[in-house]
Amino acid sequence: MSESLENDYKLCEELGRGQFGIIYRCFSLTSGEAFACKSIDKRLLSDSTDRECITKEPKVLRVLAGNAHVIQIHRLYEDENWIHMVVDLCDGPDLYYRISKRGGAFSESEAVSIFTQLIEAISYCHRLGIAHRDIKPDNVLFDSTGKLKLADFGSAEWFGMNERGTMTGVVGTPYYVAPEVLLGKEYNEKVDVWSAGVILYILLGGVPPFYGETSVETFEAVLRGNLRFPARIFRSVSPEAKDLLRKMLCKDASRRFSVEQVSSKTYISFSSKVYFHNLKICECLLGNN
């Protein structure tokens, strides 16, 4: 087996750039198949935390191999200065771009289509004892067919590694981080449910549920956890969707839904209601009433 990226893949145009490296489109020299290559400059890793995040991600992705909604790692290369990860190509606009471009709320049926795929990815991770810990629209990617792929597992953690199933460490992103993380206490995998709930709220309402003018003000709003549904932007959102959001964005993590509960009959009832509502609209438009 060759140990050089250049022997196996041809790097093409740059797709994105992060704190430690660059993402390129690349092609397999044997199959011609297109992938993405995440190239990380190890010389930019300033401390042990950075190094741990970079080295942890490929290990986590190997454990998570096989799910259609989790980005897959295909090859890993490392030399003195660089780490190269060859992963699925997701050249569709990410969810952050889609939300920004929309400039407002998605229809409930559109939100359900995105959300169900995200929940499937999170559920798969949790079944394998892995919490993502930084779920946000920037890390929700789409391939050329529109299929959702959860990405960027640098902050992920194995919560199944201890008997309590808990984790520590302040990680995450303003707007999306769960309150128990900000408190600096032990927490469990339900932090991902909170983050997914924030995304669903934004999809349905067009604005985040907890926000401030600064990061500090946003964190304070998250810690208060005062969930509201302003009538002017949630007027057309179903009671089932609001009920689901209350259960996902519950400040008390012991009462918050698990990802399995989100996927349960309560959620199925919510998504089915949306489906049949849209079906009824189509029937009326076609004159089949």
Side-chain angles (χ1 to χ4, degrees):
M1 180 181 295
S2 61
E3 297 181 356
S4 171
L5 172 71
E6 291 76 13
N7 288 342
D8 297 328
Y9 295 90
K10 178 182 179 182
L11 293 184
C12 299
E13 74 273 20
E14 180 180 322
L15 298 175
R17 187 177 289 260
Q19 183 179 0
F20 302 119
I22 305 170
I23 300 174
Y24 299 96
R25 185 190 303 270
C26 68
F27 291 90
S28 168
L29 294 176
T30 55
S31 69
E33 189 176 356
F35 297 93
C37 179
K38 187 174 183 179
S39 296
I40 299 154
D41 189 344
K42 294 194 291 186
R43 293 164 294 187
L44 299 177
L45 306 179
S46 57
D47 55 39
S48 59
T49 302
D50 291 341
R51 294 187 189 93
E52 182 183 2
C53 289
I54 294 305
T55 57
K56 181 187 294 181
E57 185 172 21
K59 296 175 184 177
V60 169
L61 290 179
R62 282 171 170 161
V63 173
L64 295 175
N67 186 271
H69 296 297
V70 174
I71 199 162
Q72 302 292 295
I73 184 169
H74 299 276
R75 291 294 301 271
L76 178 68
Y77 302 88
E78 184 171 4
D79 59 31
E80 184 178 352
N81 295 323
W82 291 88
I83 295 174
H84 304 285
M85 286 192 296
V86 178
V87 298
D88 291 339
L89 176 64
C90 295
D91 49 2
D94 63 28
L95 187 56
Y96 179 84
Y97 179 86
R98 292 187 179 196
I99 292 170
S100 302
K101 190 73 172 178
R102 177 64 63 95
F106 288 68
S107 70
E108 204 156 314
S109 59
E110 289 175 312
V112 166
S113 175
I114 294 169
F115 185 69
T116 51
Q117 296 179 76
L118 177 59
I119 288 300
E120 182 179 331
I122 297 171
S123 179
Y124 180 74
C125 295
H126 288 189
R127 287 198 302 272
L128 293 176
I130 294 172
H132 186 285
R133 300 202 303 173
D134 194 20
I135 292 174
K136 57 184 177 181
D138 317 54
N139 293 335
V140 177
L141 311 181
F142 297 88
D143 66 16
S144 59
T145 69
K147 181 180 293 183
L148 181 148
K149 304 271 188 178
L150 183 59
D152 199 346
F153 284 81
S155 297
E157 188 59 90
W158 281 275
F159 62 84
M161 295 296 284
N162 62 69
E163 293 182 4
R164 293 166 57 87
T166 58
M167 299 161 281
T168 57
V170 180
V171 296
T173 302
Y175 297 122
Y176 307 98
V177 64
E180 60 267 31
V181 175
L182 295 177
L183 289 171
K185 299 179 179 179
E186 287 188 342
Y187 51 85
N188 62 24
E189 72 276 11
K190 287 184 181 180
V191 296
D192 287 346
V193 174
W194 176 281
S195 301
V198 174
I199 289 177
L200 179 59
Y201 187 102
I202 293 172
L203 290 173
L204 293 172
V207 295
F210 315 107
Y211 59 90
E213 294 298 323
T214 66
S215 294
V216 171
E217 290 180 2
T218 298
F219 291 148
E220 290 173 348
V222 170
L223 288 171
R224 287 193 297 271
N226 187 13
L227 182 64
R228 295 181 178 180
F229 300 103
R232 62 185 177 82
I233 57 177
F234 277 88
R235 185 177 295 108
S236 61
V237 175
S238 71
E240 288 81 3
K242 294 175 186 175
D243 184 60
L244 178 63
L245 284 167
R246 290 187 188 98
K247 290 177 169 65
M248 296 181 72
L249 295 174
C250 178
K251 193 168 87 167
D252 182 351
S254 67
R255 295 172 51 237
R256 187 183 307 152
F257 260 18
S258 67
V259 71
E260 289 79 13
Q261 289 173 301
V262 175
S263 303
S264 71
K265 293 180 181 179
T266 301
Y267 175 65
I268 292 170
S269 173
F270 153 57
S271 57
S272 296
K273 180 180 177 68
V274 175
Y275 171 78
F276 286 114
H277 173 71
N278 291 335
L279 182 61
K280 185 65 177 176
I281 291 175
C282 292
E283 289 175 346
C284 291
L285 291 174
L286 292 172
N288 298 326
N289 46 18

